[in-house]
Amino acid sequence: MVKAKKQYDSKSERALQILDAAAVLLGESGYDGVSARDIAERAGVNKALVFYYWGSKPELFEKVLERYYDAHRDALEQAFETGGTIVERMHRVMDSYLDFIEENRIYPRLVQQQLTGGGPHTDMVRHHLATFFEWITEVLAEISPKTGPLAAKHFYLSISAIVTNYFTITPAIAKQWGVDPMSPAALAERREHLHWLVDTLLARLQEETSGD
Amino acid sequence: MVKAKKQYDSKSERALQILDAAAVLLGESGYDGVSARDIAERAGVNKALVFYYWGSKPELFEKVLERYYDAHRDALEQAFETGGTIVERMHRVMDSYLDFIEENRIYPRLVQQQLTGGGPHTDMVRHHLATFFEWITEVLAEISPKTGPLAAKHFYLSISAIVTNYFTITPAIAKQWGVDPMSPAALAERREHLHWLVDTLLARLQEETSGD
DNA sequence: AGTCGGTCAAACCGATTGGTTAAATCAATC
DNA sequence: GATTGATTTAACCAATCGGTTTGACCGACT
């Protein structure tokens, strides 16, 4: 499911089974909505094994989040590092973000859960958001004023919101949406929309800031 | 807290105390993270009274959500109904939405919780989202194509995402944000950002669709 | 004085929670 | 074939969950 990191390779197969099962259930029902027994059952494993491998419930879910955050950071790091124009860089970042979410569809759900009061790991989310916050404000620093309504931080919020919320909202309005929002065609169309949107915003932003 | 609706006026003061306490705690910790004992304690009331007035935990939280949804719909209904240009109408809708959230800051948290797997009331959220979906697609129908990446449904998603996510994300990055994100000055600045953003999008959208 | 609805405290219920433990199983080693 | 260490199991624990029940208390009305 999530691309394996070195530190997880050393874990036994059974341990990763449990981690994967925990991730799925956490994404479905949230921290307090999932029991250790649910996880064990889903993983096809005895409940004691959950604690044998992962210590406690908060520790287990910490590892679930950590694995996703690490994978997310790895996925976006390259996109940020390489050069090009601002528009090119933003497209690359957004595409990497979309690629990652499409491969890990429960990820935006996990993040939103943490932000809206799910579990005991809000500090992790905070630190993780801060990282991307710094990255994207650095990219936009060239054309975005340091303060005011066109500051980079506002665009960071707006863009990350429109990228992620598609995956948390559309499942609830699939009927109105017409087609399956998670079908390849629908996902491609959404990506086009986001490209158009970012292009439009950056174009006017460049106009205004160069004119000052 | 939430503007009282007629149907709640008939309820006793104690009953509303409990409802308010439930709303606050639900916003903080989510459906499964709050116990009936917590609610009673917060309301300064005996636990038995919670069930005496509201029957059961799911019923109580259903009423919490219902009260918010009703208030939200009432707040936006007027904004949609009255006329004007598309840009004017969109501004009015967005401002009404922001006014409502600023007065009820736990509301976007409750919605996100429901969307990401919190409680047993996903159908209510679905129905509620569907209502706004129809409203806003109707407003945008004049300048938005019926299909493709510039269809109204995409803008509905994008705009509602950037409006609400400010209130769910900024509390987690308050340090990086510089000022208190919920201060009047910060809220006004965010509102300016959103106006600029919507104006920019609608302007280019009108260009493109009139040129076809 | 008696009654009534609202409120309280507290005991209580079965079910479920996170977590532990001691014994059983098994493959690999000697 | 005995030993070992890793893995598996079911039984078990105290605490908490949603929800109920009983009985007393209180102020307001008849």
Side-chain angles (χ1 to χ4, degrees):
Chain A
M1 177 165 291
V2 187
K3 205 186 293 181
K5 292 263 302 179
K6 15 175 179 148
Q7 53 191 335
Y8 296 100
D9 290 347
S10 60
K11 286 282 180 180
S12 84
E13 195 179 337
R14 277 284 203 274
L16 292 179
Q17 269 182 36
I18 296 169
L19 196 68
D20 286 337
V24 172
L25 294 177
L26 182 62
E28 283 176 5
S29 312
Y31 180 82
D32 292 303
V34 179
S35 73
R37 283 167 180 83
D38 294 335
I39 297 168
E41 193 179 347
R42 171 103 193 189
V45 141
N46 188 272
K47 178 171 66 83
L49 213 60
V50 173
F51 297 96
Y52 173 78
Y53 279 123
W54 301 106
S56 69
K57 185 180 169 180
E59 284 177 288
L60 168 59
F61 282 136
E62 185 187 334
K63 290 294 186 300
V64 169
L65 291 175
E66 197 179 276
R67 193 168 57 146
Y68 275 107
Y69 285 142
D70 286 348
H72 184 197
R73 192 179 348 92
D74 290 350
L76 289 209
E77 206 165 19
Q78 298 176 347
F80 273 109
E81 281 177 351
T82 50
T85 67
I86 293 182
V87 173
E88 285 170 354
R89 293 185 76 185
M90 287 299 296
H91 273 218
R92 235 189 359 250
V93 168
M94 232 172 49
D95 281 332
S96 301
Y97 202 172
L98 287 168
D99 287 340
F100 180 76
I101 300 182
E102 287 178 19
E103 283 172 16
N104 306 282
R105 287 180 195 167
I106 63 172
Y107 175 68
R109 297 174 63 88
L110 297 180
V111 176
Q112 288 285 6
Q113 281 174 12
Q114 296 297 313
L115 289 173
T116 57
H121 303 302
T122 52
D123 282 342
M124 264 186 69
V125 197
R126 204 163 304 176
H127 177 261
H128 184 250
L129 284 177
T131 302
F132 292 131
F133 184 85
E134 288 168 19
W135 284 359
I136 208 165
T137 50
E138 186 202 317
V139 173
L140 288 176
E142 293 180 37
I143 60 170
S144 229
K146 285 201 165 53
T147 60
L150 299 185
K153 62 184 180 183
H154 283 289
F155 288 101
Y156 162 71
L157 259 190
S158 299
I159 291 175
S160 61
I162 59 177
V163 171
T164 59
N165 271 40
Y166 178 84
F167 297 89
T168 55
I169 293 186
T170 50
I173 53 170
K175 281 190 177 178
Q176 284 78 21
W177 199 256
V179 299
D180 174 18
M182 298 303 164
S183 69
L187 290 171
E189 183 180 296
R190 180 66 186 173
R191 204 179 276 240
E192 273 188 75
H193 171 80
L194 294 175
H195 283 178
W196 181 91
L197 196 147
V198 167
D199 287 347
T200 304
L201 295 182
L202 291 183
R204 181 162 170 216
L205 185 59
Q206 275 176 320
E207 276 179 33
E208 297 208 358
T209 51
S210 67
D212 280 355
Chain B
M1 177 163 291
V2 187
K3 206 186 293 182
K5 290 265 300 179
K6 17 183 176 141
Q7 52 190 336
Y8 295 101
D9 291 346
S10 61
K11 285 283 181 181
S12 86
E13 197 179 336
R14 278 288 206 276
L16 292 179
Q17 268 182 36
I18 297 170
L19 196 67
D20 287 336
V24 171
L25 293 178
L26 182 62
E28 284 176 4
S29 311
Y31 181 82
D32 292 303
V34 179
S35 73
R37 286 168 179 83
D38 294 335
I39 296 168
E41 194 179 347
R42 171 103 192 188
V45 140
N46 189 270
K47 179 169 68 84
L49 213 59
V50 173
F51 298 96
Y52 173 76
Y53 277 122
W54 300 106
S56 70
K57 184 181 170 180
E59 283 176 289
L60 168 59
F61 283 134
E62 185 187 334
K63 289 295 186 302
V64 169
L65 292 175
E66 196 180 275
R67 192 169 56 147
Y68 276 107
Y69 286 142
D70 285 349
H72 184 197
R73 193 181 344 94
D74 290 351
L76 289 210
E77 207 166 19
Q78 299 177 347
F80 274 109
E81 281 179 351
T82 49
T85 68
I86 293 183
V87 173
E88 284 169 354
R89 293 184 77 183
M90 287 299 295
H91 274 217
R92 235 187 1 249
V93 168
M94 232 172 48
D95 282 332
S96 302
Y97 202 171
L98 286 168
D99 288 340
F100 180 77
I101 299 182
E102 287 178 18
E103 284 171 16
N104 307 282
R105 285 179 196 168
I106 63 173
Y107 175 67
R109 298 174 62 87
L110 297 180
V111 176
Q112 288 285 6
Q113 280 175 13
Q114 296 297 314
L115 289 172
T116 56
H121 302 301
T122 51
D123 282 342
M124 265 187 67
V125 197
R126 205 162 303 176
H127 178 260
H128 184 249
L129 284 176
T131 302
F132 292 131
F133 183 86
E134 288 168 18
W135 284 359
I136 208 164
T137 49
E138 186 202 317
V139 173
L140 288 175
E142 293 180 35
I143 60 170
S144 230
K146 285 203 165 49
T147 60
L150 300 186
K153 62 183 181 184
H154 282 289
F155 288 101
Y156 162 73
L157 258 192
S158 299
I159 291 174
S160 61
I162 59 176
V163 171
T164 59
N165 271 39
Y166 179 85
F167 297 89
T168 54
I169 293 185
T170 51
I173 54 170
K175 281 189 177 180
Q176 284 78 21
W177 198 256
V179 298
D180 173 18
M182 297 305 163
S183 69
L187 290 171
E189 183 179 298
R190 180 64 186 174
R191 204 179 278 240
E192 273 189 74
H193 172 80
L194 294 175
H195 283 179
W196 180 92
L197 196 147
V198 167
D199 287 347
T200 304
L201 296 181
L202 292 183
R204 182 164 170 215
L205 185 59
Q206 274 176 320
E207 276 179 34
E208 298 206 357
T209 51
S210 66
D212 278 354

